[in-house]
Amino acid sequence: MKNSKIVRLSVGLLRFVVGVMFVGVVILTLAQVFFRFVLASPLVWSEELARFMLVWMTMLGTPILCYENSHLAITEFAASLPPALQTVVRVTADIIVLVLFGAILCASPKLLRASAHIESGALGIPFVWWRIAAPAGCLLMAFYTICNIQENIRAFLRGASQKSGEIEEKEALS
């Protein structure tokens, strides 16, 4: 599933959206500095919009790291184990991460309801749109983590079947 076209396409779309947001944050920040220090007429809304985009950029960029297994991890421990145990450690860690995502997702509706009637000062964006970024990111991270679990199990099973094939081949030769 991890290498399916739909999954790769979704990661590509996320990369594009995060890239556009990054460029937008840079442009907004430069405009804010220009208007504040050169024109002495600061933009009231630019900082808030840049912050809004930064929140969403973070919560949409992190699932890409989950997909690539590039997030912060202690790899030396797992690397020192035999291949079969490496898979067990990776899958166990991913399951623990999924439980954490589940906890965040369970707590999110209460937070979203509490912020539904509050708006940001300059742009009037309801805070629910700020805070929904966390559960949206968690859902995407959970999806890619499940893809990683499936890929790890498939790789483990391929390795196990290749090893049993090698053993059978050696026994046939003897």
Side-chain angles (χ1 to χ4, degrees):
M1 185 170 175
K2 179 177 179 179
N3 294 323
S4 75
K5 189 173 184 175
I6 293 172
V7 173
R8 287 192 314 269
L9 198 64
S10 68
V11 171
L13 179 63
L14 281 176
R15 285 181 197 280
F16 175 76
V17 170
V18 169
V20 168
M21 287 183 175
F22 179 76
V23 170
V25 168
V26 170
I27 289 170
L28 281 171
T29 304
L30 291 173
Q32 183 180 13
V33 169
F34 177 78
F35 275 81
R36 181 178 305 266
F37 294 109
V38 176
L39 301 179
S41 178
L43 300 172
V44 179
W45 54 270
S46 63
E47 179 184 351
E48 191 172 289
L49 183 57
R51 202 170 347 141
F52 181 77
M53 289 171 55
L54 186 63
V55 167
W56 274 96
M57 184 175 67
T58 301
M59 295 312 297
L60 293 178
T62 308
I64 297 168
L65 297 176
C66 283
Y67 173 78
E68 296 174 345
N69 264 332
S70 299
H71 47 72
L72 185 61
I74 301 172
T75 56
E76 291 303 315
F77 171 70
S80 67
L81 299 172
L85 281 178
Q86 287 180 19
T87 301
V88 170
V89 168
R90 278 193 219 106
V91 170
T92 303
D94 283 343
I95 290 170
I96 292 169
V97 167
L98 283 175
V99 170
L100 175 65
F101 293 151
I104 292 170
L105 289 169
C106 287
S108 293
K110 186 177 181 179
L111 180 63
L112 294 174
R113 278 191 302 276
S115 63
H117 305 298
I118 305 168
E119 292 183 347
S120 63
L123 293 173
I125 299 172
F127 274 139
V128 72
W129 289 107
W130 293 71
R131 294 193 173 139
I132 203 167
C138 280
L139 279 172
L140 288 168
M141 287 184 273
F143 173 72
Y144 293 129
T145 300
I146 290 168
C147 290
N148 286 339
I149 290 171
Q150 290 177 335
E151 189 66 26
N152 283 326
I153 291 171
R154 274 195 211 116
F156 174 75
L157 293 175
R158 275 193 307 266
S161 68
Q162 286 176 353
K163 286 180 186 173
S164 67
E166 290 171 9
I167 292 170
E168 290 171 8
E169 188 177 301
K170 287 180 183 176
E171 289 175 355
L173 292 174
S174 355

